[in-house]
Amino acid sequence: MGKLIELWIKSDRFRIIALIIMITILGGILLNSQSHTHQWKNHPSDFGSRDFIAFWSAFHALKDGNNPYSMSALYPFQRQLVADEESTQAFLNPPWSLVVLAPVLVFDFPMARVLWIGLNALFIYLTITLIISYLHGKDSSRIIHFIAASLFLPSIWTVWMGQVTLFLTLCFVAAFTAMMKGRTILAGLIFIPLTLKPHLFLVVGIVLAVYVLRKKHLSLVISFVCGFLSLQFITYLLSPQIYSNWLNMDYSPLIQKTSSLVTMIRESVLLASGALVDWPIFVVPVIGVMLCLPWLLKRYGNSDIELLVPASLCISLGIAPYAWLQDFSLLLICQSTLLVLVSKIKHPYVIGLEVTIMLVILQLAILITIAVFQMHKYLFWVPWVMLAIWVRSSNLLYAAKTGHV
């Protein structure tokens, strides 16, 4: 026992591995303790399928000359693929997402599904590698960070659902890395896939735009605009009517109870007045930008941009009009940045321990929320808690760096 305590005190790697094992065991116990009437509807054979099937069926509906935003056009492709599919999964992303994802969607569904699951694991690994690279972290700890990232609950849920957010996470980190290394044309092109879910990047997008303008990276702006317009041209050539189909789609995502502050405000107003209002969808992001952007830009003068991006990303997700647990996999950037900084800077072990425990508690809190409420709408707090963890950890690391601990 004494040796274990000594290892805990002296070894960052041992503490991280031990805490990862703890969260895995506790998570398994917690999920196994749910009553059988509240088990997840997803069958194991659906792993990587639940949302991915919407992208795949939309692509093949378009290939057959049909409207990818029509539920009736998607149903024939979906009814025989997922064992417990009760209704048609709507395709909600913008038209050009089908062009971006075409290299995967072009295959038959079983192969495309397996390929996408494998690519998601690669997205996680490359994200960690790039973060270690631009933070000048230790390559020797890459595997440990990869394991921690793979056990990040929003990442797990993203892979389970077959969503695209881990791809967007990699694109964000890759574009940011290219920008920091002066490869601005490449950075502009890699930023383009983020337009698949632009509502997730409102505040961090403005912060990066200010940075680009201050650094006079005109080539980044030009490459982004030209690349984006080229993508629209290709999409238009494939289906000239797809844009009108998108604007007149059968289904609106805004009727869903998502994991966002906007949803909680709309539900509160509905309970109080009996009316489902739409104004929070616009008001919350606007007020969020007005309140948070001055604080972020003020900190920009005193902080490196790579230390400002995680906080901006947390706020972006916190005020997004539409966000799910899988979208919070973007917070992997915050967790990984913190773990790299903890392993990089010489600090008292209590600081590294506190940072790691805060991240583990966040994971357990997500598990408990899902187990207790059985609804993802109650996870709206996740980006805000990650923001609090980021601010607290930044203060601890700064104090350790300056010797004020």
Side-chain angles (χ1 to χ4, degrees):
M1 188 66 179
K3 290 184 177 180
L4 290 177
I5 294 174
E6 185 178 352
L7 273 174
W8 180 274
I9 293 174
K10 294 183 178 181
S11 173
D12 287 338
R13 178 172 294 187
F14 178 80
R15 287 197 298 273
I16 292 173
I17 293 174
L19 289 168
I20 286 172
I21 293 172
M22 286 169 56
I23 187 175
T24 303
I25 294 173
L26 290 174
I29 294 171
L30 193 59
L31 291 177
N32 190 53
S33 66
Q34 298 180 72
S35 66
H36 292 292
T37 57
H38 293 291
Q39 290 294 332
W40 288 345
K41 293 181 180 179
N42 303 68
H43 188 274
S45 64
D46 297 342
F47 185 83
S49 299
R50 302 302 297 181
D51 282 355
F52 183 71
I53 195 172
F55 291 96
W56 185 87
S57 58
F59 178 84
H60 286 272
L62 180 65
K63 194 171 71 169
D64 288 351
N66 297 318
N67 176 7
Y69 294 98
S70 169
M71 305 287 262
S72 59
L74 300 183
Y75 178 71
F77 293 97
Q78 297 184 15
R79 62 181 175 181
Q80 296 179 346
L81 290 174
V82 180
D84 58 348
E85 190 72 38
E86 296 178 356
S87 60
T88 304
Q89 293 285 91
F91 173 61
L92 305 173
N93 293 77
W96 55 93
S97 59
L98 296 177
V99 177
V100 174
L101 299 174
V104 175
L105 301 178
V106 71
F107 296 103
D108 59 68
F109 185 75
M111 180 173 289
R113 168 178 167 263
V114 171
L115 178 59
W116 189 244
I117 292 171
L119 284 173
N120 271 294
L122 181 62
F123 297 154
I124 294 174
Y125 180 77
L126 293 177
T127 296
I128 298 304
T129 299
L130 290 171
I131 290 175
I132 290 174
S133 173
Y134 69 68
L135 290 176
H136 307 291
K138 301 175 182 177
D139 285 337
S140 58
S141 61
R142 185 178 305 181
I143 297 301
I144 298 298
H145 295 317
F146 174 67
I147 294 172
S150 299
L151 292 176
F152 186 56
L153 288 176
S155 299
I156 296 173
W157 191 250
T158 300
V159 180
W160 180 280
M161 298 297 289
Q163 259 290 343
V164 299
T165 320
L166 283 171
F167 170 58
L168 302 185
T169 302
L170 173 61
C171 288
F172 185 96
V173 172
F176 183 79
T177 303
M179 182 180 69
M180 296 299 292
K181 293 185 176 182
R183 303 181 66 179
T184 53
I185 294 177
L186 178 62
L189 294 175
I190 303 177
F191 271 129
I192 293 173
L194 303 187
T195 60
L196 271 60
K197 292 191 174 186
H199 57 285
L200 303 179
F201 302 97
L202 182 58
V203 173
V204 72
I206 296 175
V207 169
L208 287 176
V210 170
Y211 176 82
V212 168
L213 292 174
R214 286 186 177 180
K215 295 293 184 179
K216 299 179 180 179
H217 291 326
L218 183 60
S219 56
L220 189 152
V221 178
I222 292 174
S223 68
F224 176 84
V225 172
C226 291
F228 183 71
L229 292 177
S230 299
L231 182 60
Q232 303 313 305
F233 181 67
I234 295 171
T235 305
Y236 180 80
L237 288 179
L238 290 176
S239 177
Q241 73 276 11
I242 194 171
Y243 291 95
S244 60
N245 292 336
W246 177 40
L247 296 174
N248 297 287
M249 72 172 69
D250 297 339
Y251 185 87
S252 171
L254 298 179
I255 68 172
Q256 294 182 326
K257 297 178 181 181
T258 68
S259 311
S260 67
L261 179 61
V262 167
T263 291
M264 298 309 297
I265 293 175
R266 295 179 79 195
E267 284 229 314
S268 299
V269 174
L270 177 62
L271 289 173
S273 66
L276 182 62
V277 295
D278 291 336
W279 58 260
I281 297 169
F282 309 99
V283 172
V284 170
V286 170
I287 292 178
V289 170
M290 291 174 62
L291 292 178
C292 299
L293 201 57
W295 174 72
L296 288 167
L297 294 179
K298 183 179 179 180
R299 288 176 64 89
Y300 173 60
N302 301 318
S303 304
D304 295 330
I305 186 67
E306 58 264 35
L307 301 182
L308 190 61
V309 161
S312 307
L313 195 53
C314 290
I315 296 171
S316 295
L317 292 168
I319 65 173
Y322 179 88
W324 290 100
L325 177 60
Q326 59 262 22
D327 295 322
F328 297 156
S329 59
L330 283 161
L331 296 175
L332 176 61
I333 297 171
C334 307
Q335 173 177 287
S336 299
T337 300
L338 281 176
L339 291 177
V340 171
L341 292 176
V342 164
S343 64
K344 174 185 171 184
I345 300 176
K346 293 182 179 179
H347 52 78
Y349 82 92
V350 290
I351 293 180
L353 180 61
E354 181 176 344
V355 171
T356 308
I357 286 178
M358 286 190 292
L359 292 172
V360 170
I361 289 174
L362 172 61
Q363 307 291 292
L364 294 177
I366 293 173
L367 281 172
I368 292 170
T369 302
I370 294 174
V372 172
F373 295 104
Q374 298 291 318
M375 296 184 71
H376 283 195
K377 69 178 182 178
Y378 294 108
L379 294 171
F380 70 94
W381 51 267
V382 172
W384 301 109
V385 172
M386 181 62 87
L387 177 63
I389 292 173
W390 174 262
V391 173
R392 170 62 179 168
S393 301
S394 298
N395 291 336
L396 287 172
L397 291 170
Y398 179 77
K401 186 177 180 180
T402 56
H404 294 94
V405 290

